Amino acid sequence: MISTKPLRFPKNFTWGVATAAPQIEGAAFEDGKGESVWDRFSRIPGKVLNGDTLDVANDHYHRYPQDFALMRKLGIKNYRLSLAWPRIYPNGDGEVNPAGIKFYNKLIDSCLKHGITPWVTIFHWDLPQALEDRGGWTSRVTVDAFATYAETVVKALGDRVKNWITLNEIRCFTVQGYSPGCDKAPGRRESAQVVNQTYHHALLCHGHAVKAVRTFGGKGARVGLTDNSAFSVPVTETPADIAAARAWYIDQNAHILEPIYTGRYSAAYLKRTGKDRPVVQKGDLELIGQPTDFLGLNIYTGQFIRAGKGKVRYEELALPADYPRTTCWWLNIMPQAIYWGARFPAEVYGAKAIYITENGCGYDVEPVVNDEVQDLHRRDYVRNYLRELHRAIADGVPVKGYFLWSFMDNFEWQDGYTRRFGIVHVDYKTQKRTPKLSAKWYSTVMAENRIV
Ligand code: GBH
């Protein structure tokens, strides 16, 4: 009989699932929670598909004990969640809302009681609207307010939470919220200089959060950023194309990963941005460049690159119209992105511990057969990415964990509730949760610590 060689993951590999507060909690105006930029943005006609709002979402605010029970049943041991800043500080700064702290205390206790380790993201895009009204990410007022918020939550939860993620995907709440043509909250249209300044302010917040964890996090606390870097895939795995893909990767991520890992903006970045470069104050880069414990990466897709001709270092290739993708126009299926996406930061910046803090896929249509959502497209997507992740580990890339996005279908930002990313199906009329085929498959992967 022919046997298959099991693709095992290292002992102690962290398997988990991820969500974010604004996408699942609902209770958008309950117990003193303030308005977030997404609460406001979703009410502007035409911004979110079908006019969907975050008001109720998955009602996780009231259903978290049942959700944790389901996670336990599926064998999920690690859960990446985020905290809603406007629940803790309804006005962004000023008075803390005790009901917000109380809610997260109860939630973390329940999570732990179900045998699940929480991985807490301090900020996942839901800026208090009150701060947006005072300039939002263009202003250092937001940075100061964030520093206080980060300190407050680390002090409140740090006795039980040991894994902290500072910010989720800086690009998505800066460039995609403040640039012409962008589609995310708050939907402003600012100049290149102002947009570069918003990155810089977000980087400062990352620094403040690292400081808060070091100061108040207690024993064993660890902290890192989650970035959605731009990921490249060499067209051929030959030295010339790999070098080209690496050069492209360095150029694309200079404004976020360089200052975090080197404590400076690279000469190439400063030259490229010229007079649009961010204004940097004394002490900023020291704050931003403090050592972290890991790098979180959300890897979904990539850009094909090959060596350029003559003096041109690289060539970006456009995808054919019929290239395989999910229902999301941007989510082209490219498993090798997870291989190179993990490998380049280890090689270029010396990242010592990498966690894939998100990977997954979204579809509008998922077949129901005999009452089961048979999402074989998701099972296939995840399996193919995991094979490439396994290859990265075998090649010596220090990948320590993987979190599947998402535990359950949820509010997919500008795509509302139409686009489903969950391994658990949510019926938004009844709030019934039903594990899909992919959830059962992933349960076996986690239990056996290998690709099945
Ligand atoms: C993640 O973002 C988010 O962290 C999560 O909240 C979300 O639900 C999940 O993925 C699924 O989307 O303007 O060309 O960049 C994923 C990264 C970056 C994907 C912005 C969509 C828009 C296309 N996102 N991108 S583009």
Side-chain angles (χ1 to χ4, degrees), residues 135 137-139 174 178-179 188-201 275-278:
W137 289 103
T138 69
S139 164
T174 57
Y178 289 79
S179 309
R188 281 164 62 170
R189 305 281 182 263
E190 300 293 343
S191 68
Q193 198 288 323
V194 171
V195 172
N196 290 336
Q197 199 64 39
T198 63
Y199 296 145
H200 185 68
H201 292 157
K275 62 173 181 17
D276 292 333
R277 65 180 59 171

Side-chain angles (χ1 to χ4, degrees), residues 402-430:
Y402 173 92
F403 292 79
L404 204 161
W405 183 273
S406 179
F407 169 59
M408 54 183 164
D409 298 334
N410 58 47
F411 178 80
E412 177 53 17
W413 309 111
Q414 64 276 15
D415 294 324
Y417 297 100
T418 304
R419 188 107 342 122
R420 294 175 179 273
F421 269 83
I423 54 171
V424 170
H425 176 270
V426 176
D427 179 335
Y428 293 106
K429 284 201 193 81
T430 60

Side-chain angles (χ1 to χ4, degrees), residues 145-289:
F146 180 88
T148 307
Y149 161 57
E151 247 190 62
T152 301
V153 295
V154 174
K155 277 182 185 163
L157 307 174
D159 57 331
R160 287 150 293 155
V161 173
K162 292 300 164 192
N163 302 290
W164 292 96
I165 292 158
T166 58
L167 307 169
N168 182 69
E169 301 189 348
I170 290 177
R171 283 174 178 79
C172 286
F173 61 87
T174 57
V175 67
Q176 286 174 19
Y178 289 79
S179 309
C182 69
D183 58 359
K184 288 194 165 65
R188 281 164 62 170
R189 305 281 182 263
E190 300 293 343
S191 68
Q193 198 288 323
V194 171
V195 172
N196 290 336
Q197 199 64 39
T198 63
Y199 296 145
H200 185 68
H201 292 157
L203 289 168
L204 289 171
C205 291
H206 162 78
H208 279 299
V210 173
K211 212 165 120 188
V213 173
R214 298 288 182 239
T215 317
F216 305 107
K219 237 180 100 200
R222 305 192 311 142
V223 62
L225 173 78
T226 275
D227 190 36
N228 61 326
S229 313
F231 302 108
S232 53
V233 173
V235 173
T236 64
E237 293 193 350
T238 57
D241 282 358
I242 292 169
R246 187 189 288 109
W248 184 91
Y249 171 85
I250 291 170
D251 283 356
Q252 291 287 322
N253 299 301
H255 56 304
I256 293 177
L257 293 181
E258 285 260 1
I260 289 202
Y261 276 99
T262 68
R264 60 183 170 78
Y265 285 111
S266 68
Y269 171 71
L270 293 174
K271 191 169 163 222
R272 175 149 46 89
T273 46
K275 62 173 181 17
D276 292 333
R277 65 180 59 171
V279 177
V280 176
Q281 293 183 12
K282 203 166 159 267
D284 283 2
L285 289 164
E286 287 73 18
L287 185 68
I288 293 167

Side-chain angles (χ1 to χ4, degrees), residues 26 28 70 91 113 251 255 287 303 316 345 353 420-421 445 448:
L70 177 55
N91 296 310
K113 211 179 79 202
D251 283 356
H255 56 304
L287 185 68
Q303 167 68 52
E316 291 180 7
R420 294 175 179 273
F421 269 83
V445 171
E448 299 198 8

